[in-house]
Amino acid sequence: MDTKSFQAAILEGIPEVLPAPKAYEASINHAPKRKEILSEGEKKLALRNALRYFPEKEHGELAPEFLEELNTYGRIYMYRLRPDYEMKARHLEQFPHQSKQAAAIMLMIQNNLDYAVAQHPHELITYGGNGAVFQNWAQYRLCMKYLAEMTDEQTLVMYSGHPMGLYPSHKDAPRVVVTNGMMIPNYSKPDDWEKFNALGVTQYGQMTAGSFMYIGPQGIVHGTTITVLNAGRKISGGKTDLAGKLFITAGLGGMSGAQPKAGNIAGVISITAEVNEKATYTRHSQGWVDEVISDLDELVARVEKAKAAKEVVSIAYQGNVVDVWEKFAEEGIKVDMGSDQTSLHNPWAGGYYPVGLSFEESNQMMAENPDLFKEKVQESLRRHVAAVNKCTDNGMYFFDYGNAFLLESSRAGADIMNDKGDFRYPSYVQDIMGPMCFDFGFGPFRWVCASNDPKDLEVSDKIATDVLEELMQESPIEIQQQMADNILWIKEAGKNKMVVGSQARILYADAEGRTRIAAEFNKAIADGRISAPVVLGRDHHDVSGTDSPYRETSNIYDGSQFTADMAVQNVIGDSFRGATWVSIHNGGGVGWGEVMNGGFGMVLDGSDDAHRRLTNMLFWDVNNGISRRSWARNEGAVFAIKRAMKANPNLKVTIPNMADDNLIDGLF
């Protein structure tokens, strides 16, 4: 489709003449059928809700079709409204627009739904099994039309994928405000999501799926690399050379697919198990995993060969990870590090596949016999944990990767608790990311070149490298390791072929690093070294973005890890300090009702106005979280917020006074 036709299709929105029904494409990786949860009366309500996007004259044709979708897939996706043009990031000038900021948002939405990026593109799901950009294709079409028409004096309001409409605002307001899954607290149980999503009134936006800021597996490769690297340092006395070390994990989906690439960069032997053959071979074809093995004996032999030669190699095991753990435990093979990145935040609807059932059998059972499927999952988790425990008894370091593995295993009755009643294994945030990165303000800063030109990405990489190297000369000893790791990362990023979809990059930086890098990008756009605007963002999994007691805030020990003030304040503060769009979601990497998370996007266009916004907003976006972590008495955060106050005299933060433990203990 040429550019003119593409633009016309976007401006058309929901077509006046219905397009013909589209055939179901079996070659595409589709979402599993959702379980039957609606009563007959609720199904009628779901149909009424879906039909309100269309004039009454079309209801007779669409109603039976939508009911068939609801009965067949458990959701109304409106497949016939899928556009004929290719979903991908384009140069922002190719999108019809009156606002460049809106054009950049369209670019990001399309990138989220790119077939090379999205996990279930026809169901508008980017990653995690249920992380949706929209609930249905009518919402997509309407949203894109609004973005194409909006000016810099309007704001688009998004309610869980539904574009509520364009509202008058002003140029400094966000162009889009996104909320996903904002439920009354007593309605955030897993079955509530199933019900209300099937009704078409809410959705699970995950983190960067529903906020239009996903950049493919690269988005997590860097954090995963840092995690594996520092887990290796923990078991190697601080050494960075991890040659011959074995890391076992699971998951090759949208987020978890980063693990083998990160293992290679960290210099280990990695095994990543995956039950979905399409996911396995997608990652293999993209070069994110080196080898695929489906026989356990062959796998053992390959690992022993790699250990002896101290190879750096990533292996995908096509099959269930429980079989891998049990095989290695039974044979007493030393595993150095272990984790799991199956989507256990979504255990009953395709996030975790139980051992002993095929992929197809599981998909059928979860839809047709959900109670039995739940039993199978929990039985599998008990076996899973038992085998992991044997490997840890043999000297393995195991950490929870923030996917609700510990939480769901405990609910399944697995042997996952210690004598004190706590989880036997730490979250990776507790042991690594929290004290080493988040407390000091380091988190996943990312950018996208809106030209979609690799040359612009190369220039941006060089700018970021130069800024970090300059900053490292001035940095205190407390953050020298973080600086060194990130300089190495950004220098090697191009060589490691990270780009899938948009021309994007990620690195971990603190407020000073983010602000300085963004300011230099803005200058480069102004003087033409970068040919088009740059979109800034971050993962919600960051210093300030997420309140999650079993992941992002698991190293908060003052009792406030179960509160969500930080994430909500973060998004509100970003919105009036210059963000181009903001988002706040119920649910994320550890599950619906278990986390609140927020994010932003910011478009740099080379203007003085963009410089003003980035300077103001990025400082707040990071230091909000450092302040909260400091108040929780985290030593690194106390250091970091005092340093920030010296840098900016307008920042005045309440510093905690430390109680004497002997005084407190003496009272009891």
Side-chain angles (χ1 to χ4, degrees):
M1 181 179 290
D2 61 29
T3 300
K4 187 176 180 180
S5 300
F6 168 68
Q7 292 177 344
I10 286 179
L11 288 166
E12 181 183 35
I14 298 173
E16 289 188 12
V17 177
L18 283 177
K22 285 187 164 55
Y24 186 85
E25 296 181 29
S27 62
I28 299 296
N29 194 12
H30 288 283
K33 179 184 178 181
R34 308 304 183 182
K35 70 178 180 181
E36 189 82 23
I37 198 166
L38 299 183
S39 66
E40 182 177 304
E42 288 167 339
K43 285 186 176 182
K44 292 178 180 178
L45 180 57
L47 288 174
R48 292 188 183 97
N49 289 343
L51 291 170
R52 58 188 160 179
Y53 288 101
F54 305 92
E56 186 177 357
K57 64 180 181 179
E58 294 169 350
H59 290 186
E61 180 177 356
L62 290 175
E65 180 179 314
F66 289 168
L67 178 60
E68 183 180 2
E69 285 188 13
L70 186 61
N71 288 333
T72 304
Y73 310 113
R75 297 292 186 272
I76 298 172
Y77 296 115
M78 307 183 186
Y79 286 125
R80 76 152 68 195
L81 279 122
R82 278 196 301 106
D84 292 325
Y85 53 78
E86 184 181 359
M87 292 289 170
K88 65 178 183 179
R90 296 167 165 82
H91 194 296
L92 89 166
E93 293 294 345
Q94 293 183 20
F95 293 92
H97 65 275
Q98 297 187 56
S99 162
K100 284 200 182 334
Q101 294 180 350
I105 297 168
M106 287 190 273
L107 180 159
M108 300 301 294
I109 289 172
Q110 287 239 297
N111 187 65
N112 267 24
L113 295 171
D114 186 325
Y115 283 20
V117 173
Q119 183 182 19
H120 305 308
H122 286 192
E123 290 75 40
L124 301 117
I125 290 171
T126 302
Y127 66 87
N130 55 7
V133 189
F134 300 97
Q135 296 176 58
N136 59 59
W137 286 103
Q139 290 180 348
Y140 166 84
R141 283 180 174 263
L142 189 55
C143 177
M144 295 292 281
K145 179 178 172 62
Y146 277 138
L147 288 168
E149 295 173 344
M150 79 183 307
T151 71
D152 287 337
E153 301 289 331
Q154 292 173 302
T155 293
L156 174 61
V157 176
M158 300 289 300
Y159 279 27
S160 285
H162 169 65
M164 189 61 71
L166 293 173
Y167 295 82
S169 58
H170 55 85
K171 72 181 183 63
D172 281 339
R175 297 282 69 80
V176 180
V177 176
V178 176
T179 54
N180 280 302
M182 292 289 105
M183 305 299 293
I184 302 301
N186 281 344
Y187 298 88
S188 278
K189 297 180 291 297
D191 272 358
D192 291 327
W193 171 73
E194 294 280 359
K195 175 180 176 179
F196 292 109
N197 188 227
L199 285 173
V201 295
T202 196
Q203 74 174 12
Y204 192 95
Q206 255 287 352
M207 292 181 147
T208 52
S211 64
F212 321 144
M213 190 43 73
Y214 190 63
I215 59 170
Q218 179 187 184
I220 197 174
V221 169
H222 182 36
T224 308
T225 300
I226 289 176
T227 302
V228 175
L229 192 61
N230 285 298
R233 286 170 178 158
K234 287 178 73 70
I235 64 173
S236 303
K239 295 177 182 177
T240 302
D241 182 8
L242 305 180
K245 301 291 185 187
L246 175 61
F247 173 49
I248 295 182
T249 184
L252 285 172
M255 296 293 281
S256 55
Q259 293 177 108
K261 175 72 82 173
N264 282 5
I265 297 169
V268 300
I269 303 160
S270 67
I271 300 171
T272 309
E274 172 58 60
V275 295
N276 183 345
E277 193 170 352
K278 285 181 181 176
T280 300
Y281 284 99
T282 294
R283 293 295 170 232
H284 185 249
S285 67
Q286 291 172 343
W288 288 72
V289 64
D290 297 327
E291 301 174 14
V292 179
I293 295 174
S294 57
D295 180 85
L296 286 171
D297 290 328
E298 182 183 344
L299 179 67
V300 168
R302 180 67 183 92
V303 166
E304 288 178 337
K305 178 184 175 185
K307 276 177 166 280
K310 292 194 173 181
E311 285 184 68
V312 174
V313 63
S314 55
I315 304 164
Y317 175 70
Q318 180 56 52
N320 198 289
V321 72
V322 178
D323 290 324
V324 176
W325 283 118
E326 289 180 340
K327 178 73 171 179
F328 278 69
E330 177 188 333
E331 300 207 5
I333 298 167
K334 176 67 183 297
V335 182
D336 299 284
M337 297 177 287
S339 192
D340 188 270
Q341 266 200 57
T342 52
S343 297
L344 266 162
H345 68 275
N346 178 34
W348 325 126
Y352 180 92
Y353 284 79
V355 67
L357 293 176
S358 69
F359 182 66
E360 293 73 22
E361 289 169 338
S362 290
N363 284 336
Q364 182 177 354
M365 186 182 292
M366 73 179 71
E368 297 178 1
N369 195 343
D371 291 339
L372 179 59
F373 184 73
K374 182 175 181 178
E375 288 179 21
K376 293 290 186 182
V377 166
Q378 293 192 319
E379 176 189 337
S380 185
L381 282 169
R382 291 191 290 271
R383 283 176 57 180
H384 194 151
V385 170
V388 165
N389 289 347
K390 288 181 181 177
C391 290
T392 57
D393 288 344
N394 195 28
M396 178 181 72
Y397 171 63
F398 186 87
F399 54 92
D400 179 279
Y401 220 137
N403 63 333
F405 177 79
L406 297 178
L407 185 63
E408 289 301 334
S409 295
S410 69
R411 290 170 175 170
D415 182 15
I416 201 71
M417 313 303 287
N418 62 24
D419 294 339
K420 295 180 181 179
D422 300 322
F423 291 132
R424 161 195 299 255
Y425 303 113
S427 156
Y428 75 115
V429 174
Q430 283 177 292
D431 259 18
I432 298 168
M433 301 304 287
M436 293 188 64
C437 294
F438 294 165
D439 284 355
F440 287 101
F442 284 82
F445 178 57
R446 54 179 62 168
W447 64 90
V448 177
C449 296
S451 64
N452 208 38
D453 186 344
K455 292 179 182 177
D456 280 344
L457 186 60
E458 287 179 24
V459 174
S460 71
D461 283 348
K462 179 65 167 58
I463 290 171
T465 302
D466 291 345
V467 169
L468 292 180
E469 288 183 330
E470 183 179 324
L471 285 175
M472 189 172 178
Q473 301 305 313
E474 313 161 5
S475 296
I477 189 66
E478 287 85 352
I479 60 172
Q480 285 284 311
Q481 184 67 69
Q482 291 91 325
M483 297 296 294
D485 284 348
N486 281 287
I487 290 169
L488 177 62
W489 162 266
I490 195 65
K491 282 184 172 180
E492 297 291 318
K495 298 176 187 176
N496 284 309
K497 298 180 180 178
M498 295 292 172
V499 170
V500 176
S502 60
Q503 293 296 317
R505 190 67 76 223
I506 182 172
L507 59 78
Y508 268 50
D510 61 4
E512 184 179 20
R514 299 181 203 203
T515 303
R516 293 267 292 268
I517 291 169
E520 290 301 319
F521 287 169
N522 202 49
K523 288 180 187 176
I525 296 164
D527 65 27
R529 284 175 291 148
I530 295 177
S531 69
V534 169
V535 180
L536 301 183
R538 57 162 169 76
D539 197 341
H540 297 204
H541 171 66
D542 196 6
V543 182
S544 305
T546 298
D547 282 298
S548 177
Y550 300 110
R551 195 163 83 174
E552 284 80 1
T553 44
S554 61
N555 72 317
I556 300 291
Y557 300 109
D558 68 348
S560 70
Q561 64 266 42
F562 295 95
T563 66
D565 301 85
M566 179 178 72
V568 174
Q569 287 279 1
N570 189 252
V571 168
I572 294 171
D574 284 353
S575 70
F576 63 76
R577 286 181 174 87
T580 305
W581 73 97
V582 291
S583 61
I584 184 79
H585 304 174
N586 167 22
V590 297
W592 179 262
E594 304 284 359
V595 51
M596 292 289 288
N597 67 88
F600 76 87
M602 174 177 275
V603 178
L604 304 181
D605 61 6
S607 66
D608 292 342
D609 200 41
H611 181 81
R612 172 180 60 84
R613 294 183 189 195
L614 74 88
T615 303
N616 196 5
M617 199 218 76
L618 293 176
F619 186 82
W620 154 260
D621 188 67
V622 175
N623 281 296
N624 168 51
I626 299 176
S627 301
R628 185 266 181 94
R629 293 167 190 279
S630 167
W631 188 240
R633 297 185 292 272
N634 292 15
E635 287 185 19
V638 173
F639 167 84
I641 204 63
K642 286 180 177 178
R643 184 167 173 254
M645 284 192 283
K646 286 181 181 178
N648 189 332
N650 284 335
L651 178 67
K652 299 181 187 299
V653 174
T654 309
I655 301 297
N657 295 296
M658 306 299 181
D660 186 329
D661 289 343
N662 292 327
L663 171 65
I664 303 297
D665 293 341
L667 297 174
F668 294 88

